[in-house]
Amino acid sequence: MKLILVGIASALLLSIIVGLSRVERGPTPADRMLAAQLFGTTGVAILLLLAEAMETPALRDVALVFALLAAMAAVAFVKRAWHPGPGESEKGERP
Amino acid sequence: MTTFAGLSQTDLYALAGAALFVIGLYGLITRPHLLHKVLALNISSGGVFLVLVGIARRVPGPVPDPLPHAMVLTGIVVTVSSTAFALALAKSIYTETGHAVLEPDDLEETGEVSRG
Amino acid sequence: MTLTSWIFDIVLVGTLVWLAVRVLAEVKLFKSVVLYIAFGLLVALAWVRLAAPDIALAEAAIGAGITGALLLDAAGHMRGRSQPYASASDEPSAGGDMDA
Amino acid sequence: MSVIDVVSVLLLVAGTFFFLAGSTGVLRFPDVYTRLHALTKADNLGLGFFVIGLSLRADSWVVVVKMVLIWALVIVAGATAGHLVAEAARTSGVVPWRKPR
């Protein structure tokens, strides 16, 4: 049973690695950030699986923090990192 | 602890930590942009932490040694603080000079490097 | 258990080293930062595999979360490419000096 | 393996399918908005399957409640982040993709 759980976790890890290629070739910064969101959700799933397979209940708390972290990165990205380019509409908030 | 070709799981992660430290050090020296230098510093500190936690697993028994864990926890906090400070410095350098790349001219102006 | 855990560990470690090289070889600042956030998430998974959930918690909360937010802020402040020995213009000329 | 184990593994495999579908969508879809759609829908559904499948094997109710709360947090955070990113993309002038005739 543990073998199956760790095998599924490995499949999810491979899915993360496949998703990395979207970071490599996303035309806009939003595409790259979106791939980071994908890693957050998949990381939560991997942690829940490993908490069951390794019999470590503390990993569910780590999964909770992972879920929070993805949202924080997205907010930081939208508010601080992504300004519209010079040729586009100038509606972003520059400090 | 299972071994595979004479290599335990701990050894695998410790070797990866050494590799990460070397990659980070090389990047810290060769990359000219300040943000890349901060990233390289973070990566090499992650390598050091991997080696330390690998050392913690080498005591016999299921429970790892708590002392390297405490050191790594402290190190993570210190790394985050120094990263925040370095980024604030880099941002003010960018605001002052208009670029955040360490050029040879910058060193020449302060008299650190004399050519010929 | 043993063979699948070994596959998981080897894939995780290989991805970590590859990501570290990619973060430092990348010319675009924002891409580097996003790759570093992914690197931080995978390092947290490595702590989990090393039976250190306390360090995984700290790394996920402040190592990857706060550092990622700070780096995104800094990358938005100084945007553009990291050209070696060039002025801070946004000219799209690839100037990486590290081939990897 | 008991019946519960078989059902649990089936649910986990279904969840893995949805995760892989989400990754494929993020890779294959043509613009930001459709990629957000694949990301926030397919992955949250896959995580739901994982939570149900792991709840069948859980020891106590506390674990089940905690996993359901994690799922709820992921759904709320994913919806918020998706809305923020999509609105920022629209504001900065990313044109939605249309099928070329």
Side-chain angles (χ1 to χ4, degrees), chain A residues 1 4-5 8 11-12 14-16 18-22 25-28 30-31 33-35 37-39 41-42 44-45 48-49 52 57 60-61 63-64 67-68 70-71 74-75 77-79 82-85 88-89 91-92, chain D residues 1 5 8-9 12-13 15-16 19-20 22-33 35-36 39 43-44 47 50-51 54 57-59 63 66-67 69-70 73-74 77-78 80-82 84-85 88-94:
Chain A
M1 192 63 207
I4 298 173
L5 290 180
I8 291 177
L12 289 184
L14 283 178
S15 143
I16 284 187
V18 169
L20 275 174
S21 70
R22 178 47 73 191
R25 38 147 232 214
T28 65
D31 292 301
M33 203 59 227
L34 196 138
Q37 297 275 307
L38 175 77
F39 304 153
T41 318
T42 316
V44 168
L48 289 181
L49 277 173
E52 187 71 30
R60 299 200 178 90
D61 299 331
L64 202 57
L68 203 59
V75 171
F77 163 69
V78 168
K79 284 291 170 196
W82 196 16
H83 312 298
E88 294 158 353
S89 68
K91 211 186 157 204
Chain D
M1 281 172 74
D5 276 354
S8 163
V9 167
L12 290 181
V13 169
T16 313
F19 266 105
L20 290 178
S23 288
T24 314
V26 167
L27 281 191
R28 299 274 306 161
F29 276 165
D31 73 343
V32 180
Y33 308 104
R35 282 177 206 138
L36 270 173
L39 175 72
D43 276 14
N44 288 342
L47 192 62
F50 271 85
V51 167
L54 290 173
R57 301 170 39 82
D59 301 326
V63 174
K66 189 183 254 183
M67 284 198 285
L69 280 179
I70 290 173
L73 178 64
V74 168
T80 313
L84 280 173
V85 171
R90 192 182 60 80
T91 311
S92 86
V94 178

Side-chain angles (χ1 to χ4, degrees), chain B residues 6 17 23 28 46 56 63 69 76 89 91 97 99 101-102 104 112 114:
Chain B
I23 292 169
L28 178 67
V63 179
H69 281 196
I76 288 174
L89 280 181
K91 276 170 71 175
T97 64
H99 59 91
V101 182
L102 276 193
E112 297 281 335
S114 59

Side-chain angles (χ1 to χ4, degrees), chain A residues 2-3 6-7 9-10 13-14 16-17 20 23-25 29 32-33 36 39-40 43 46-47 50 53-54 56 58-59 61-62 65-66 69 72-73 76-77 80-81 83-86 94, chain C residues 1 4-5 7-8 11-12 15 18-19 22 26 28 30-31 34-35 37-38 40-42 44-45 48-51 53 56-57 59-61 64-66 68-69 72-73 75-77 79:
Chain A
K2 280 181 182 175
L3 193 142
V6 178
S10 305
L13 193 62
L14 283 178
I16 284 187
I17 294 169
L20 275 174
V23 182
E24 293 292 327
R25 38 147 232 214
R32 309 188 203 282
M33 203 59 227
F39 304 153
I46 290 179
L47 282 171
L50 287 181
M54 296 168 69
T56 319
L59 295 189
D61 299 331
V62 184
V65 175
F66 257 58
L69 187 151
M72 218 176 87
F77 163 69
R80 308 290 295 188
H83 312 298
R94 285 302 295 271
Chain C
M1 177 75 184
T4 44
S5 339
I7 291 174
F8 189 87
V11 170
L12 183 57
T15 315
W18 182 72
L19 262 182
R22 286 293 308 138
E26 182 54 52
K28 287 180 186 159
F30 184 79
K31 206 164 153 185
V34 173
L35 284 171
I37 291 175
L41 291 176
L42 291 182
L45 284 183
V48 167
R49 290 297 301 160
L50 284 169
L57 198 59
E59 172 80 29
I66 294 183
L72 281 173
D73 179 27
H77 192 262
R79 55 181 158 163

Side-chain angles (χ1 to χ4, degrees), chain C:
Chain C
M1 177 75 184
T2 59
L3 185 62
T4 44
S5 339
W6 268 102
I7 291 174
F8 189 87
D9 288 337
I10 288 176
V11 170
L12 183 57
V13 160
T15 315
L16 274 179
V17 174
W18 182 72
L19 262 182
V21 173
R22 286 293 308 138
V23 166
L24 294 177
E26 182 54 52
V27 181
K28 287 180 186 159
L29 284 182
F30 184 79
K31 206 164 153 185
S32 275
V33 170
V34 173
L35 284 171
Y36 179 77
I37 291 175
F39 176 82
L41 291 176
L42 291 182
V43 168
L45 284 183
W47 301 138
V48 167
R49 290 297 301 160
L50 284 169
D54 47 349
I55 301 179
L57 198 59
E59 172 80 29
I62 60 177
I66 294 183
T67 309
L70 286 170
L71 286 168
L72 281 173
D73 179 27
H77 192 262
M78 36 178 145
R79 55 181 158 163
R81 290 159 182 263
S82 73
Q83 295 172 348
Y85 312 132
S87 63
S89 63
D90 284 343
E91 290 172 1
S93 71
D97 56 347
M98 196 165 112
D99 297 327

